[in-house]
Amino acid sequence: MKGRKDLLGLEDLSRHEIELILDTACSFQEVLERPIPKVPTLRGKTVANLFFEPSTRTRLSFELAEKRLSADTVNFTASGSSLSKGESLKDTARNIEAMQIDMIVIRHQASGAPHFLARCLDCSVINGGDGRHEHPTQGLLDILTVLEHKGKIEGLKVVIVGDIAHSRVARSNIWGLSKLGARVVLCGPSTLMPLEIERLGVEVTYDIDEALEDADVVNVLRIQLERQKGAFFPTLREYARYFGITRQRLSVAREDVLVLHPGPMNRGVEIAQDVADGPFSVILEQVTNGVAVRMAVLYLLSGIDESAKLA
Ligand code: CP
């Protein structure tokens, strides 16, 4: 991460950089287990969280990570801002940066919005999810959760199921997992599978039972009705019947299979209740790991000296 100003996606990162973030996140996990889970690492730094789309996990997790590192934080939401008076994204961000902000976390409905800001601003920009492009910290926390259970990524069969076409989580997982040597298999309705996605080095199948056979990890994606402008499948009931992850379907996976979901879940659609809350599920662990991963990203981009990391 040396010399890197921004975190825009896992496509841009080397294997070494991904491993460095994961190792750093592991050190911060130890901080989060202390009676007072806080370090002064980013004291004097200010982070602005700009959320132009709804979020529960990412927004709170970044804010908590910033507070655990003793940064000052300010939060921007589109509603109630001067965007409603016609102010552009660039002007909004430049005005926020002018208040001596060191880092900006942005979630935006437009793919590429964080990249645009990264070019306009001197401060660091962290992508908290852009359109259907990337959600790098989600990809990293997914990988950290798998690593904790499996001890490795190399050689694992990781199945990503569902709405691949609209999923920034899928893209960040594909880049991150592939760079770390996993075998990535995508499965979903053909209408939700991007053309030529195999060019990213993944396998594609439309048969869920074939996909799940001997799977080490199943990452279940949310059906993103808000991003779907057309009818990509007849009904939610039909989607659940052909692609929903149930206990019965998981019986062909490895007996220690892990089930991940980035949230928010459509229970009974892409994932059955008893899978979401069952013994294979690590969904809440993903959320817990999100704080340490975001602490790692904030710390590494801050350029703060190693000796101050866990002081
Ligand atoms: N996983 C995720 O991005 O969740 P939120 O939309 O709640 O942030």
Side-chain angles (χ1 to χ4, degrees), residues 51 54-59 107 128 135 138 168-169 222 262-264 294:
F51 278 74
S55 168
T56 297
R57 283 148 287 268
T58 311
R59 188 167 59 85
R107 166 168 290 190
H135 191 349
Q138 179 72 43
R168 52 199 179 205
V169 175
R222 182 170 70 88
R294 287 165 180 134

Side-chain angles (χ1 to χ4, degrees), residues 287-303:
V287 179
T288 304
N289 286 336
V291 179
V293 160
R294 287 165 180 134
M295 287 171 80
V297 169
L298 289 158
Y299 159 71
L300 289 167
L301 290 180
S302 73

Side-chain angles (χ1 to χ4, degrees), residues 260-273:
L260 287 78
H261 191 301
M265 288 185 274
N266 298 303
R267 288 170 179 262
V269 180
E270 71 262 5
I271 188 164
Q273 293 275 16

